[in-house]
Amino acid sequence: TIAEGEALLADEMPLRLPDGSSLLISLRSYPVFENGQCTGAVVFYADISRQQKLEQEKQLFAKVIRQAPALILIADAEGGIEYVNSAFERILGFAAAELVGRPATDCLQGLDFDEQMDQVRCRLSKGEAWTGTFTNTTLHGRRVILEAAIFPIFNQRGQLTNVVAMGRDSTREQQLVEQLHHAQKMEAIGTLAASIAHEFGN
């Protein structure tokens, strides 16, 4: 600053401390002129280490939510969609761009959700989470079974700011359970038929 006589603005600049540790700072350096010559500089430092750490955490959480295998929907206090992650788009067939700003109930058109909605509202009004299972027909016509959790987010004053819905696609598991039950029924029928045939033989 002194050599060039110009202001210097630097962000995310490391400042090494006497103990060997360092801080991340924002620096603003301004030249001081006397009789047309730069005779010194006024320098402002701001420690942005905590701010930088919070920003890194924010970016990490954003990546986790975006790449999570669970379906995630975040709505505002009035139920308007603010965010859906890639798993939500992939499994239910919606595009995030066409959902943001719309009521969250728009995603529930194909759900058997009407009878459970009162329970959800009741739980949220008490500040409690709701968990349950429901089915949905996607935009591609595929029937999916979702295990879901819906819970409220409050600010420091206790006011509802957001509602978060998280779901897991358990369609394949349910299909395997149904196949197992069917196989068990067929086995029981086979055993019964063999027993009856044996009695007839006697």
Side-chain angles (χ1 to χ4, degrees), residues 112-133:
D112 58 350
F113 205 70
D114 293 339
E115 60 188 37
Q116 295 157 306
M117 187 58 78
D118 291 338
Q119 297 176 14
V120 172
R121 289 193 183 103
C122 181
R123 286 291 184 89
L124 293 179
S125 67
K126 295 178 181 178
E128 301 173 351
W130 175 91
T131 57
T133 302

Side-chain angles (χ1 to χ4, degrees), residues 24-176:
L24 203 60
I25 65 167
S26 171
L27 179 145
R28 301 291 185 265
S29 179
Y30 302 97
V32 175
F33 291 95
E34 287 185 27
N35 300 324
Q37 292 200 357
C38 181
T39 59
V42 177
V43 184
F44 299 92
Y45 297 90
D47 181 3
I48 60 171
S49 300
R50 177 169 170 73
Q51 177 184 342
Q52 182 70 8
K53 184 179 179 181
L54 291 174
E55 183 61 29
Q56 289 173 347
E57 288 180 358
K58 179 180 175 183
Q59 292 177 3
L60 175 62
F61 291 147
K63 287 181 182 178
V64 169
I65 291 174
R66 184 169 56 251
Q67 299 176 18
L71 290 79
I72 299 175
L73 179 148
I74 302 174
D76 59 27
E78 287 72 41
I81 297 173
E82 291 186 344
Y83 176 83
V84 295
N85 70 343
S86 57
F88 190 99
E89 294 179 284
R90 183 180 68 256
I91 294 173
L92 293 186
F94 292 100
E98 64 188 30
L99 286 179
V100 172
R102 292 170 56 184
T105 51
D106 286 1
C107 301
L108 310 177
Q109 297 298 327
L111 301 179
D112 58 350
F113 205 70
D114 293 339
E115 60 188 37
Q116 295 157 306
M117 187 58 78
D118 291 338
Q119 297 176 14
V120 172
R121 289 193 183 103
C122 181
R123 286 291 184 89
L124 293 179
S125 67
K126 295 178 181 178
E128 301 173 351
W130 175 91
T131 57
T133 302
F134 50 85
T135 59
N136 182 26
T137 302
T138 69
L139 293 182
H140 308 303
R142 187 171 72 91
R143 178 178 172 270
V144 295
I145 301 171
L146 301 175
E147 295 178 4
I150 302 174
F151 54 92
I153 302 294
F154 297 95
N155 62 16
Q156 294 178 344
R157 297 188 298 274
Q159 298 171 324
L160 178 68
T161 59
N162 295 94
V163 174
V164 178
M166 301 181 67
R168 187 176 72 87
D169 184 0
S170 60
T171 309
R172 181 60 180 158
E173 294 173 19
Q174 292 295 328
Q175 289 173 344
L176 292 175

